[in-house]
Structure formats: C-alpha cells, structure tokens
Amino acid sequence: MQIQAISIPNKRQAALIQIDDLPPKNHEVKLRIDYVGLCGTDLSTFLGKNPLMTYPRIPGHEISGTIVALGDEVPLHRGYDLGRSVTVIPYSHCGSCAACLRGRFHACTYNQTLGVKCDGAMQEFFNIPFEKVLFADGLSAPHLALVEPLTVGFHAVARGRVAPSDTVLILGCGMIGMGAIIGASLRGAKVIAVDLDERKLALAKSFGAAFGLQPGRMTFRKKYWNSPRAWDQMSSWRPWGAPKPIGLPSKRSPTPARWSASEMPCMTLTSRLTWWSKRKWTSWDLAMQAPTTFRP
Ligand SMILES: [Zn+2]
Ligand SMILES: [Zn+2]
C-alpha cells in the first residue's frame, strides 16, 4: 500500500508524492499524522538555505499524531495505547557518543533531525522509535504540534534561570521568541518584546509581554546588527544582565563562547534576525503564505 507525503525534491520545489506504507519495526510506534508545524527550518530547506540537509527531503519535525500500530518489542505497559494522541522528539541519538553517555541525548554528535538529515513526518503515517514518543494527555492535536518549537524558548528561559524579579528583553518575536516570551512571562518576569512586525508585537503582548517595541527597520539593522561591534556591545551589558542567543548565527554574528554560561536575564536572537541580516525582509510573509499545518 502507498501513502501520500509532501516532498522537497530540490531547492524551491515542493511535490505531493506517493511512498510505501511500511509496517513499524520491532522498536517502533506507527503514528497517523494529525498535524505538522511548518518551521523556519523547513522554509530554509525549501529556499535552499539549510546547509545541514540534502535533497530530496520530506520535511516535518513539529509533530502531532495518533498511535495506530506497535512493533513487537514496544513495552506495552508504558502507555503506548492504540488511539492515544502523542507528540515526538524529532532528534535521534546514538547512545554511545560523549554527549549521550552524559545523558544529553539532545546534543548527540550523530543526531539525525527529522526532516533535515532524514525524512520527516509530512506524510500520512510515520514510524518512530518508541522512546521518541511523548505523551501529553489533555493537549489538543494542533497544540501537540506546537510542543517542540515552544520548548526551544522555554529551554532558553530555563537556562537563563529567569526569576520574577527579572526584566527580560526578547529580540525577535518569531515562533522561538514567542516561546521565550511565554516562558519568561509564566515565571513572572517583566518581558519587553522587540520586533519589526507590529502584528507579532500584538501577539507577543497577548502572550504575556508587558511592552512591545518596534524599532525603525534601518535604524535597527544599522545600529544593532550590521555594526561589527554590535555583539561586543551587547556583551557589555553583563554587569546587569546577560544575552542568550538562540538560533543559527550568521557568519557576521559569531557567538562568543563566554555567553554560554547560564545567567539572567535572557535575550533571544532568533534565526529570523539572521535572515534580516541577509536582507530577507520577507521571510515572515513567505511563511504566512504557506499552510501552517498539514492535514492528510
Ligand atoms: Zn523547528
Ligand atoms: Zn550520541
């Protein structure tokens, strides 16, 4: 039997394809895919700007699915019930590299991210090792697909040990920045959101930001990004705070190793800013034109 999948066969191409519907291997759970988020990473893949991946690729790493079949070695007593709605950890791990041996599976040297290094979940059914399946009973199917992207910002807030007495400046209110805004707000911090797009600032306020700042586009770029000393200037804030970059820095924005220490408050620089620095002002608009969820 064959199922449908969305494939990116090459740069700036997308196609609905037919692939084999494989049974789950012994340690795998078979999911019916309910929702898949469209991430900035997928957009980069589509535009040919993701250096980590190869074509053709089925994208999809923000996953909401329902268990429909189990491999023979899946431990039934751990709750892998048929019909249960779940989400998925989209990162693989080898179990034997230095990171894995420390229990930091998310940092595995040989990670194969779904939809980037191997085919992702933009398909009708998807098999995944049972240990990568997460239960979150009570969340709706669309919300399960939001768990993975929101955890990025939540993780930064946790690393920054944000406390109720903190004022947190979030630069960039894309999906990742929104996660940081929600996470910091839930911890009781006062959040200042900064973005070029007033629609995103309105969203940021509805998610808990106390203030929204919209700097002039050129001013922002000239002053805070294109300046070769910008990152050094930011690090001079250390007497009263510490920046926390999130995302993929461009060549122009080397991330000093000294910023990796966990300090507060946190600041996010999303990959959206990287795009801005390359004059890709329309990335958000491009993303809004595409369907944000895929329902087979
Ligand atoms: Zn993503
Ligand atoms: Zn590993």
Side-chain angles (χ1 to χ4, degrees), residues 156-164 166 168 183-185 187-189 263-266:
V157 167
R159 289 286 302 266
R161 300 179 201 167
V162 171
D166 289 332
V168 180
S185 300
R187 285 172 173 243
E263 294 177 52
M264 66 178 105
C266 77

Side-chain angles (χ1 to χ4, degrees), residues 22-79:
L22 302 173
K25 295 178 185 149
N26 285 346
H27 65 294
E28 287 182 335
V29 167
K30 186 185 187 85
L31 303 179
R32 184 196 71 221
I33 297 301
D34 295 322
Y35 284 85
V36 177
L38 183 67
C39 173
T41 304
D42 302 317
L43 184 59
S44 293
T45 298
F46 178 74
L47 294 174
K49 295 182 179 296
N50 186 344
L52 299 176
M53 57 81 57
T54 54
Y55 300 104
R57 180 64 62 228
I58 297 174
H61 60 273
E62 301 173 0
I63 301 166
S64 161
T66 303
I67 298 175
V68 293
L70 303 172
D72 291 340
E73 294 172 14
V74 174
L76 297 177
H77 61 282
R78 290 212 220 152

Side-chain angles (χ1 to χ4, degrees), residues 272-288:
R272 191 80 61 201
L273 278 173
T274 308
W275 287 339
W276 287 341
S277 72
K278 293 174 182 167
R279 297 171 187 267
K280 297 297 180 193
W281 298 97
T282 56
S283 61
W284 178 253
D285 294 323
L286 254 177
M288 293 300 283

Side-chain angles (χ1 to χ4, degrees), residues 15 49 68 86 97 100 153 160 172 201 214 218 250 273:
K49 295 182 179 296
V68 293
V86 298
C97 72
C100 285
L201 288 176
Q214 185 187 25
M218 293 312 293
S250 70
L273 278 173

Side-chain angles (χ1 to χ4, degrees), residues 19-296:
I19 57 173
D20 289 336
D21 182 20
L22 302 173
K25 295 178 185 149
N26 285 346
H27 65 294
E28 287 182 335
V29 167
K30 186 185 187 85
L31 303 179
R32 184 196 71 221
I33 297 301
D34 295 322
Y35 284 85
V36 177
L38 183 67
C39 173
T41 304
D42 302 317
L43 184 59
S44 293
T45 298
F46 178 74
L47 294 174
K49 295 182 179 296
N50 186 344
L52 299 176
M53 57 81 57
T54 54
Y55 300 104
R57 180 64 62 228
I58 297 174
H61 60 273
E62 301 173 0
I63 301 166
S64 161
T66 303
I67 298 175
V68 293
L70 303 172
D72 291 340
E73 294 172 14
V74 174
L76 297 177
H77 61 282
R78 290 212 220 152
Y80 298 96
D81 303 328
L82 297 185
R84 193 168 186 183
S85 293
V86 298
T87 186
V88 167
I89 300 171
Y91 310 103
S92 69
H93 69 275
C94 71
S96 55
C97 72
C100 285
L101 291 175
R102 290 172 160 220
R104 293 169 55 81
F105 302 117
H106 61 289
C108 174
T109 307
Y110 305 103
N111 164 47
Q112 302 271 301
T113 303
L114 293 181
V116 178
K117 292 270 189 153
C118 60
D119 282 339
M122 284 202 181
Q123 37 187 304
E124 290 179 89
F125 295 95
F126 189 66
N127 297 319
I128 184 85
F130 71 83
E131 69 266 27
K132 298 297 180 186
V133 169
L134 293 177
F135 307 121
D137 295 338
L139 287 186
S140 66
H143 287 172
L144 282 167
L146 293 174
V147 169
E148 191 275 341
L150 286 176
T151 55
V152 180
F154 273 59
H155 183 61
V157 167
R159 289 286 302 266
R161 300 179 201 167
V162 171
S165 58
D166 289 332
T167 299
V168 180
L169 178 71
I170 310 280
L171 294 183
C173 300
M175 186 68 195
I176 305 304
M178 289 296 183
I181 288 167
I182 296 168
S185 300
L186 288 175
R187 285 172 173 243
K190 182 186 291 180
V191 174
I192 304 170
V194 180
D195 201 283
L196 302 177
D197 187 333
E198 60 188 23
R199 295 169 298 178
K200 287 197 272 181
L201 288 176
L203 265 180
K205 285 188 193 168
S206 74
F207 290 149
F211 303 101
L213 299 180
Q214 185 187 25
R217 288 188 170 196
M218 293 312 293
T219 306
F220 184 78
R221 282 184 63 206
K222 277 184 186 160
K223 213 169 173 183
Y224 295 101
W225 196 257
N226 281 351
S227 160
R229 293 182 56 225
W231 291 75
D232 276 345
Q233 287 166 358
M234 288 180 187
S235 68
S236 71
W237 300 351
R238 285 169 66 84
W240 52 272
K244 285 280 169 201
I246 309 174
L248 305 170
S250 70
K251 284 180 190 159
R252 213 182 286 171
S253 55
T255 307
R258 61 180 181 274
W259 287 2
S260 63
S262 294
E263 294 177 52
M264 66 178 105
C266 77
M267 178 185 74
T268 79
L269 289 165
T270 70
S271 53
R272 191 80 61 201
L273 278 173
T274 308
W275 287 339
W276 287 341
S277 72
K278 293 174 182 167
R279 297 171 187 267
K280 297 297 180 193
W281 298 97
T282 56
S283 61
W284 178 253
D285 294 323
L286 254 177
M288 293 300 283
Q289 287 165 16
T292 52
T293 56
F294 164 60
R295 182 140 216 170

